[in-house]
Each structure stands twice: as C-alpha cells, then as structure tokens.
Amino acid sequence: MKHEIIVDVKRDHILNLLNSGKRIDGRAFDEYREVSVEVGINQRAEGSALVKLGRTQVMVGVKLSVGEPFPDMPDSGVLTTNAELIPLASPSFERGPPDEDTVELARVVDRAIRESRCIDLEKLCISEGELVWIVFIDLHPLDYDGNLFDACTLGAIAALKNAVFPKLEDGRVDYKTKTEEKLPIVDTPVEVTFAKIGGHILVDPCLEEEEVLDARLTVGYNEKGEIVAMQKGGSGTFTQEEILDIVRRGREKAEFLRKHLPGDADGKN
Amino acid sequence: MKHEIIVDVKRDHILNLLNSGKRIDGRAFDEYREVSVEVGINQRAEGSALVKLGRTQVMVGVKLSVGEPFPDMPDSGVLTTNAELIPLASPSFERGPPDEDTVELARVVDRAIRESRCIDLEKLCISEGELVWIVFIDLHPLDYDGNLFDACTLGAIAALKNAVFPKLEDGRVDYKTKTEEKLPIVDTPVEVTFAKIGGHILVDPCLEEEEVLDARLTVGYNEKGEIVAMQKGGSGTFTQEEILDIVRRGREKAEFLRKHLPGDADGKN
Amino acid sequence: MKHEIIVDVKRDHILNLLNSGKRIDGRAFDEYREVSVEVGINQRAEGSALVKLGRTQVMVGVKLSVGEPFPDMPDSGVLTTNAELIPLASPSFERGPPDEDTVELARVVDRAIRESRCIDLEKLCISEGELVWIVFIDLHPLDYDGNLFDACTLGAIAALKNAVFPKLEDGRVDYKTKTEEKLPIVDTPVEVTFAKIGGHILVDPCLEEEEVLDARLTVGYNEKGEIVAMQKGGSGTFTQEEILDIVRRGREKAEFLRKHLPGDADGKN
Amino acid sequence: MKAGEPEEFIIDGKRLDGRRVDELRPLKIEAGVLKRADGSAYLEWGGNRVLAACYGPREIHPRHEANPQRAVLRTYYSMAPFSVYERKRPGPDRRSMEISKVTRQALESVVFTHLYPMTAIDVYIEILQAQAGTRCAGITAASVALADAGIPMKDLVPACAAGKVGGHIVLDLFDIEDNYGEADLPVAIVPRTGEVSLLQMDGNLTQEEFEQAFKLAIKGCMQVYEKQKEALRRRYGGSQE
Amino acid sequence: MKAGEPEEFIIDGKRLDGRRVDELRPLKIEAGVLKRADGSAYLEWGGNRVLAACYGPREIHPRHEANPQRAVLRTYYSMAPFSVYERKRPGPDRRSMEISKVTRQALESVVFTHLYPMTAIDVYIEILQAQAGTRCAGITAASVALADAGIPMKDLVPACAAGKVGGHIVLDLFDIEDNYGEADLPVAIVPRTGEVSLLQMDGNLTQEEFEQAFKLAIKGCMQVYEKQKEALRRRYGGSQE
Amino acid sequence: MKAGEPEEFIIDGKRLDGRRVDELRPLKIEAGVLKRADGSAYLEWGGNRVLAACYGPREIHPRHEANPQRAVLRTYYSMAPFSVYERKRPGPDRRSMEISKVTRQALESVVFTHLYPMTAIDVYIEILQAQAGTRCAGITAASVALADAGIPMKDLVPACAAGKVGGHIVLDLFDIEDNYGEADLPVAIVPRTGEVSLLQMDGNLTQEEFEQAFKLAIKGCMQVYEKQKEALRRRYGGSQE
C-alpha cells in the first residue's frame, strides 16, 4: 500500500510538471538523455559494448560458438538473444529464473535484430546441415534508470558490429585466438521508445517516468527507416492518432541514436 | 478451517442421501453419468478425442514422433503418457510442475494402456536399435467434475484408435501430411472407478462425491475382462469383501464404457 | 528468535565447559569420536562404505558408468562427487534442490580426492576421445551429528578402494556382472576438521559444537602428509597462528583417520 | 526461399485459403461453456480452437501479491501439447510468457479492478489448436470469459492482426501467411473509444504500409467485436448489446 | 522374450531364489536406529535395504498447510542414487511421487492425527538398496518408525505383494520375477480389522487369479505384521504386542 | 602435460606476464559507480573486471528469514555469460554457490549486523571479465561497496591468493598459472587484527610451502587493503583512512 501511495504522489508531481511543459529531469519531451556507446570493453566476449543512456548502464556481450543448425534452416546460423535482470542493477530486480519483464526485453530486442535481417545468417553456415555459428547476444543491464529497450538494442547492435570470429579448428572453437574477420552485419536497427503520461508523449522515459506511465510504445527501425518491430506496453491505451504520430516521429529519433554507434574500421558510419 | 467445515457439512448431506438410497445427482449407485466420446476433433494431433462424463470434459491428443528406442528394447516403439491439470479446468488445479495428483493420473492411465499391451509396440519399430515411433498421449482435462481416471482412460484409447501415422521421410516426420495408416491398436482397455462413502459403494463419483469419499478403487479391464491395472486411493480403507465385489462388478461397467468408443473404420465394434 | 536464544544458552554452556577443559561429550580437545568404517555394504553400488563418527552415520556409494570424456581431457576418466542432505538425516535438512551447504560438502570432499590425484584417471580411458569411465561418488548422510566433511571424505575413499569395475560389453555396462578388477586408487587423502569456539580449538566437532562454533577449518592431507585441500567455514575468524597450528596438528589426526580404512585385498595397510 | 514457401500469396485476387485481402477467417464464439469456471468462452477462428476461463474475483495466493486498492488481473496464455504440429512440451516457454504479459496489458484498461480490492481475477487461455493469430484469439476469448463471469468492464476487447504477404497488406493471417509473409501486426482495441490496448509488430513495413495495415487491423477488430457481442447475446438473451 | 528373461520361474516347485511360491524373502526389522529422528526403523527384506524416519508432531512449514482439526501426515519415498544398478539421478521422479502418495494413503487411516492439530508428522523412506517390492518395504518400515516415534496409532500397517510369474501365483516377488513376470499386486492392511489401505496392480490377472493373489498377499501381510511387532518388542521389551 | 601448459612458469626471475613472484597484478578500485545501488565498487585487477553493489539495510523477503537480533548479510557471486571464454549459462552453478557462501563468511565478522535487526544487507558481486582470482576480487570489491553504502564495519576485508606454480610460491595467480599450476590458496583478512576470515586451498603443498604461501598471501592482502582505502579516500575525500 505504501508503494501505491508513493507512486500516486510521484505521478501527480510528474504530471504537474508535464502540464507546464517540463520533464522531471529537465529534458524536452522529444529529447533523449545523454547517449554514450563504448565497444570492445570485454576481452572474453567476441564482441562487446557498454551503453549509457543517462544513468542507465547496459553491458552487452556477443559470444560465438558452433553447433548444429535447425533442421528447417540447414544453411543458416543461429541467433539467440538473452537478457538477465541481475539484482545488482536495481532493487526491483529479483534473483531466479527469467520473469516476464526479462523475457519481454530479450524478445523485443531480438525482434529488431532478427526482423531487420541485420546479421547475414547464411554467411554463418560452416557445413550445411551439420555445423553453423551460433550467435549469443547477452543483454546485461548494470544500472537501471529506465528505457532498457532502447539501450539494449543499441548495445546489441554495437556489440555485433564489434564482434570478430574466434579461430575454428577441426570443428572446435579456439576462444583464445581471435581472427580479424568481422561478423557479417548488413543493417543497424535501433529501437525508440515513447511513454504516455496523462496524454503527454515523451521519448526515452527515465525510471521515474516509467514507474508512472500509462502506456509505452517501442518501435524498431532499420537503416532505411522502415519499421521492423513494435511493442506496446503498460496497462493504458493509445489513441490511433498517437500511434501514427509516434511511428512517424520515431524515425528521426532512430537516426539520432544510430549516430552514436562507433564507426566501422573502414571509416564508414 | 472454513474449507474443512464445508466438507463436513457436504459429507453429512451426501451421506444422509446415500443412507436413504439416493445419490446427490439422482443416479443409481451403479450408474454412470452420461458418457460421450467424440474423436478426430483436433487437426494438429495424429489422434484426438473429447470425452464427456457428465460435466467432466477431457481432451486427449495423441502425437507421434520418432526417436531412438530404449537400449534394452531395441525393436520396440516408445509410449509416453502425460497429464496436465491446467488451472482453467478447476479452481483446485494450480500452475507449476506436475504435482502428485497429476502424476498419479498419468501413471494410472498409462498402466492400463501399457499392461494390456493394447498398442503393438513392435510394429512401431522403424529401424531396429536406431529409429522407432514414439507415442505421446496427452491427457488434458478441460472441465473437472470428478472421475478423471475413467474419462482419461476412455479418451486415451479413443484417441489412440483415432490416430493415423504422419508421413515419414528420411527419418524425419512431415506432420502436415497424414497417411491413412492407423496405429496398431489390438485391445481397448478401460478403467472403472468406484468410491466408498460411509460404507456405500458407488460407481463413477462426481466431484462432490470425490471431495468427501473415504476410499476409491480404480480397476482397468482388457477386452477379455481380465484385470490389467488397479489403484486404490483415498485415506480410508476397503474391507476385503468390498474389494472382491468391486472387481467382479467392475467388469460389466467396463463393457458399458467400451460401448461408447467409436466404431472402427471397417465397421467392427 | 526462540532458536537464537537457545543457541546462546547452548553456547554459554559449551563455552563454560571448555573454559574448564571439558567438551560437552567428555572428549579431549584433540580427540575424535569413535570411528568405524565398513565397506561393501551395498550390492548395487560398485563400491560402498558406511562410516560412523560417533552418532554421525554416512553412507557413500560409488557407481561407475561410461560416457564421453571432456574435450580438453580426451584420455582421462571423469570424476563426479555429489551429496544429498536428505531430510531423513536431520530436522535441519530440507527437501529440494541442493543448497549451499550441500554443494559445499560435495565440493570440499571432491577437492581432496581430485587434488590428491588419488584416482589414476588416465587408467579410466577406454577409447581416447570417445569412451571413458565416469566415477560417481554419492555422499549420503543418514544420521547427522556433526562433522560431515571428515566422515564423507573417509567414506568416499573407503568406497573408492572398495570399488570393482562392472563388466563392459560393446561399450555398454552390464551392471549385474562385476569383475574382480579394482579402481586404480593410488593415494588415500583424508580430511580433518577443527572448530574454534571462544578461542578454543577442537578436533571433530559434534553437532552441538558445530551449532555454536565461531569458525571451522578443514584440511585435507595425502598419504605423504602434504596438504591437498583446505576450507575455512563459519562467520568468525582465525588468527594466523591458529591456522599454522591447526595445519601442523592435523597431519597426525589424518594418520589416525587413515588407519580406519579397511586393508587392501593384498594385505597392504 | 524457405522450404514450403508458396510462390505467390494472392492469386486472382484471392488468398491461398480463398479469402479476400480484407476478409477475416470464419469466427465463432460461444460464451459459458465450462461448469467449474466463473466465466468461460470457446472460440473457433479459422483453424484456431481456443478456450478461455475466468476465475474471480477470488482470494489471492500468495497473499503478498494482493493490492489494497484494486483487484490484481492475472492472465495466463498456454498451448496444449497437441495444439501444434510438433508436440509442444508442457509448461510456459518464453513466447507464452510474453503473450501472457501483453494479454494482461491489453485487458487491464477495461476491467473495473478498483471494485474488488485485495482479490485476484485470473484469466486462463488455452490454445487447443493453433493456426496463427492465437494471441488475438486468446484476447478476444478472454474478454468474453470476463464478461461471462460478470466482471464489470468498460467494454469488450476484440483483437485482430493485419500483415503483409507477397507485398500485399492483408487482414488476419493464417499459418502459411504468418510463416512466410513479410510482417504481422496484432492489434487490440477498446471499441467504444477506439483506443489501442495491444500493438505488436514483427517484419518489415514502410510508414505507408504500416498505416494501411494498422487501419485494416482496426477494422478487423470491429468485426470481431460484433461476434463477441453476439456470443454474449446468445448466452444472456436480449437484442441490445 | 526379453533379454535376461528366464525360461522358467518355478523349477521342481522352487522359485529361482529357492523359495516356495507362498514364502516371503528373509525379513529383518530393527526399530530406533537413528539418533536425530524422533522415530526410525531399518529393514532388510531380501535384497532390499530400507531406512524410515519419523519427525513429529512438529511445527509445519509452510504454515498455510496446517490443518486446525488434525496433524498433516506427509510421506516421502526416495531412492538413493546407488540403490539400483543404473545410478538414479537425485531428486523425486514420477514413480517416487506416486509411491509417496499411496504410502501416505496407506498410513493415514491408522494415525490418530486429530490429537495433534496444526502440526506435521513427516515420514521419510529412503531406499538404500532395491530388489523389487520397495514400496511394501517402505510402508512396513514407515509404520514401525511412526510407532518408534510414539505417534498414537490404531495399528501397524504391514505391506506385501503377491503376483503372477510363469503362470503361477506367488508371494513377494524379487527383481527377476518383477521384471519378467505377468503381474504384481502390492497390498497393505490394517491387521486388527483386516481392512485394506493400499492396493495397486499392474499386469494381467483373471478374476480367479486376482482373488487367489489378493488372499496370498494378505497372508503375507500378516507374516510381515509379526516381524513388525517383534522389532518393537525387541526395542521396547515386554512380550505382549 | 595438458594442452596449452607452459614448459616453465618463471623465466629469468619473471613470471609469464612479467611479474615478480611476490608482485600483484595491477589493481584499480573505484567506489560509488552505480546510481541505483546504496553502495557500489568497480574493480579491475589484471584481467578481472568486477562490479559489486550493496543494497541495505532493507526490508527482508521472505519475511521468515528475518533475525530479530541482527541484520542478515546475504552475498551473491555471479558470472556474466560473456565473462569467460566459453559462454557461461546464466544462473547459479555449484561453484558460484560455494563462492557466495565463503564470501558471506569472509565478510560477516566485520559488519555490525546487530545495529539493524530484522533487515537484510544484500551484496551482489558480478564478474564481468575473469582472469583467475575472481573470488578474492569479489570480496575485495564487496567490502568497498559495503563501506560506500555506509554500513558500519570494523574494517575492510581485502583478499588475495598465493599459490605454487612450477615449484615456486607466487602471489596472485593469473589464469595460466591457475589452470596449470600446482596449488591455489585464496585468503581474506581483517587487517586491523590480522585475523583470517577466508581460507581455501586446492592443489598440493608441503607444510613448509603452505606456510610460505600463507604469509605471502597475507602480504598481498595488505597491499590490496591500501588500494581499498585509496578508493574510499578518492570518493569521500580526506587523507586519513
């Protein structure tokens, strides 16, 4: 009960500010928090990234192993996206098997990566029907201050672009010897999340906003600006107009986020 | 405590009726509720049945897959019987891994099917020691109003008789193409359950009777009327005479139930 | 809270006795309880032992099966040590997956066996990279009256020395036919546990002592008296001098325990 | 092209199952089909067979999940082992967990939960046979089961997907279209306000395609809504909704 | 014929382990073998080695399982990993869960549970070595452990199986008979009334064979009962039961 | 000799990573690196990257774990899936469970738990990148996180291992030494008293070697202690400890 009342009070405070055109952390309604992306920060992972979105910090590791392909996709590598909401990162995260929120996070990030076909999975086939590369993306929030969807998608694509293959010998991986060959990444999808609070639409909700939002909409865009994934959240609703508006406005936010990805080795960005 | 007292009151009520020769739903002591068996009601299963025993409804699906035989039975198919007591079907069923009651239900139904050798498992061998058919029987109560043993065994045998093999190509199953070949079913075991309440013996207990019974005895019979499975339940006891009597009387009840199985394609039954 | 107070009272009692040079069960500070080791007490296990340390009783079974070696040790057998703290053995043991204490027990016993290289694992290779013997050591306390580390390590080594290979035919084990060939055991490590209570150092704590101890130190020794494993426990601390002293004194206790191992078939020991 | 992928999805203006691009699969809903549940609904939608049951408001276990200001709505989506071609192992998987969550969020806004503080309202959705679109079928059945249980609600919640197959925007994908098509967009709405309570998408859509598909899905929802109301009328009589 | 199956089960009137058809395997029971448990029993029955322990009446966890009218009897049957030829993985499997349940139902009718409301009486059965018939051995040991713990009971509960092997009705199957025989019929009784508290069967029996086996099993139970009483007399003295 | 095993561990008086036998790997500690945690520390120690967070004193769940006389200290050691060469499956394994336990026992003696009865103090240790010695790194980071959270403590708890490689006693093993060496001896101490709160060993050491390694590890702990104090000074200012 205590918790409920505190949420109500917080909500009133945030809503009063919004009604006078202000967000609780001083940002404009369509403004992201400060974004930073560092890659190559983990020597054990084949690819890695540390993303900061304000005080939200997410580490993403990409590990590559080998195994059998799925029977119905014999010439295609395998992609697996996993999230862990470790209790180190927030008092609201609990130990134990993945809960609904953890699973949703992993699946929504996976959706943008999978549906944009950003990894050329056919290039991950080693021997058709027998041996393919398996790409593990591990989403690992370290400090949770809101909007994990956008931070994790950005971190995942940064870590994928950072990844190099380890050496393969006789069908086994030598993890201690890395090659210079990069993962075949052909697109850079990003996700953009908007929150609705009392009729106001805000991009990149911070934790305090997330705790009181009515509804949330995450939209994933590929490099062409096409939509590759969507996920509505929250127990409230959006009007149809709000949705159409968010989808249109999100595209430029996606461009903004994509600019924070580190450049390729060849200078392209 | 509330629950206990309600059970006591219910028990008194049911017992008073029984003492004057009546059951709570008006049936005779040796009378089954209305029985109906529909087969082929599921297009994804290789065999299926929907059994109604009064208001108890059970769906049973038979799925066929292929795999390795057990090392000590290299030329024999594999039978697996599984039950799920989904919380949709009763306020007393809980989510989570199978509990004692779920496991007992699956094992007692399995016992009649296995011990009557009603499936000719040797005909399920595809390649000795390497590849055999695996028969999954899934018992899926939808509305629980008592006596799942009898309803599930009847549904299982109806679904088995309904089942046809899917197409097999290069050791893999093409589930979308069904053949006309039926599972080799050579007997039709059924189970008959009696309840004991205050010294009265009743066939086919409904839920209200189950909740107050002292003891329960389920007996499985093959087509010859031989006994192939038994399971006593409940925390009370039976006299030896009661058991001998139930086992003798159950045989004709088994005949009664078996008549509700749909006829074979060739007109037998 | 009740529990806490009882522990405080017990602790005062035990400590008062210790201050006057006495242990609660009358032993000297450096005295083990009566030790007995019986082997070959289980016909289903390849090797077995029942160890009694006072009223503590532990059964250990060694089972041998075959399987693939680890990829990085293709010519080496596999050792697996497992403990179960079954609730039959103590009111403080609970059902469910292994808890911290169970895992620690298994790992500390495993450590002495593994690090002393007492099993010549290379002799367990059947076919390099393909098939090796797997040694399962199951630690199974039956009555818990303190000091499971020492009892289980002693039981494990006794059961290992007792073990004979079952017959192997075509890569499968015939468990019903035992050979006369013994497991290749080349050392007999034992573990010795000391407890610290209010500054007093005692060997082989009984349950009442364990419940009130400040700290615990278990040291494993091989036949040469070298140290092969150590584990400090308890929420208190040891001085550096106490540790050096325990490690020196433990060696002769290890000799004492080792004497209780049954002799080899060839009369050695 | 994946094994089993059709060369074309629309032939002579008809889809592979004979429908027009903006046509729903046949949909039948029946309310009040179970004895034990407080409310229930059975739905056949193309090759989908879905049962939904509602229990509640009832005592909540574990107790610490109770909310002193309102009822807690809990929704569980689950697939029978024999509901799909390859037998599904019993128990929740990651997909079911996500669908359970979005189903709850699709329904929460219409239920007057504040009337029943400290209680649980539990909704169970069981997919007995699946042919794509089971989450929309489940939400549709669930809101009828809630109504059948007498839970006060602002409105029913119909759900329907649109998508893109072979370059065409179509309504209510069936399994071949779902497996080999380019995008799937499930939507649920609160008809009286037109507001959207479920929205997911996977695949690839341009802005224009998205807008077209979104509007088509909402039209589909309105057709589903009529079937929901009919089912309740058949059960409870009366010609008004 | 399965690998390892004997050609005949009875040769010159003797079974493969030398017994007559109506003869029990050697049975030894010892009460009070454990320090920590409130009551315990150890049993050797042919090649079975079984330990049973009773804790209680004691506080119940989790609390909501408590019953204000009587003690809750909980029974847990479990097999040690090294109790069978192929190592058993630790933890309950489906067979153990079923045996735990029928064991509880075999014992519940004799325990005066109403004397200890709000408490638990826990009985743990550990199979240390198995040679067929372990559920009967477990029930037999468990009721001695309950008595050793001082739990008031109407009677002890002895258990014994009969079965059919090679066409013969025999008492107390050992492993070869159990693996390759035609039927197994475990029975537990309350000797003072002769009533039956456990009855299971798998295999194939005619009506007549069933009646014969059932009566033989009950005779076996009465022999087991004598061994139970002897064990308690040895532990507690006195020549009356 | 195992695959990858070096022929010598010490060449020209230097170890394979260039250190002297009694030299620590480079160690950097930073306190207060997380927003959400009540206290936190980040540590780089050779190739180890470790994050520790402290929450508490706070309400304890489940409630029955509460202690009316003191706070309950709970410690959880866990490895990120990408912290090791072969991806680690998420969730606790047996090794993590043991390390969590000894970590708690290493820290319990310094925390004034009696000041916060009925509460929990939770410490989470996350290994982001591992290069041997992670339990010592975790304990070292954890006690800084506890201090950063303002939990009253008698002292910090530095930890450091010594070991034996190629016949030499060395300080602070890195991964090659840990994998192919002869012994590893992790130690944690309470510097103000010199007492030992963690001690484990695996491998093979004579009495003399043990004593030498033990003393070397304690010297290592004292160096680690200086780094811990520096980190807290940098965070909170002041030149006194």
Side-chain angles (χ1 to χ4, degrees), chain A residues 42-44 55 57 59 61 63 82 84 86-91 95 136 138 140 143-145 175-176 207, chain F residues 33-36 49 51 53 55 76 80-87 90 124 126 128-131 175:
Chain A
N42 192 300
Q43 298 169 35
R44 295 292 172 273
R55 304 276 324 220
Q57 289 192 52
M59 190 172 283
K63 289 290 297 172
N82 180 68
E84 270 191 283
I86 54 172
L88 175 142
S90 166
R95 303 176 70 236
F136 286 98
D138 279 290
H140 215 69
D143 207 1
Y144 168 48
D145 195 29
Y175 284 105
K176 297 185 183 172
L207 179 65
Chain F
V33 296
L34 299 177
K35 178 190 180 192
R36 299 303 304 283
R49 303 280 179 272
L51 200 51
Y55 287 89
Y76 303 98
F82 45 75
S83 63
V84 284
Y85 286 114
E86 292 228 30
R87 178 175 182 269
Y124 301 101
E126 189 71 18
L128 299 171
Q129 184 178 300
Q131 194 215 27
D175 51 4

Side-chain angles (χ1 to χ4, degrees), chain C residues 42-44 55 59 61 63 82 84 86-91 95 136 138 140 143-145 175-176 207, chain E residues 33-36 49 51 53 55 76 80-87 90 124 126 128-131 175:
Chain C
N42 193 300
Q43 298 168 36
R44 295 292 171 274
R55 303 275 326 218
M59 190 172 283
K63 289 290 298 173
N82 180 67
E84 269 191 283
I86 54 173
L88 175 142
S90 166
R95 303 176 70 236
F136 286 99
D138 278 291
H140 216 69
D143 207 1
Y144 169 47
D145 195 30
Y175 283 105
K176 297 186 182 172
L207 179 65
Chain E
V33 296
L34 299 177
K35 178 190 180 192
R36 300 302 304 283
R49 303 279 179 273
L51 199 51
Y55 287 89
Y76 303 98
F82 44 75
S83 63
V84 284
Y85 286 114
E86 291 229 29
R87 178 175 182 269
Y124 301 101
E126 189 72 18
L128 299 171
Q129 185 178 301
Q131 195 216 28
D175 51 3

Side-chain angles (χ1 to χ4, degrees), chain E residues 29 40-43 50-52 136-146 228:
Chain E
I29 310 178
S40 58
Y42 175 68
L43 176 155
V50 176
L51 199 51
C136 289
I139 292 167
T140 298
S143 65
V144 175
L146 278 160
Q228 289 178 309

Side-chain angles (χ1 to χ4, degrees), chain A residues 238-246 248, chain D residues 214:
Chain A
F238 285 102
T239 66
Q240 297 174 30
E241 295 67 36
E242 284 167 346
I243 285 170
L244 295 172
D245 187 49
I246 286 171
R248 283 182 212 120
Chain D
F214 180 57

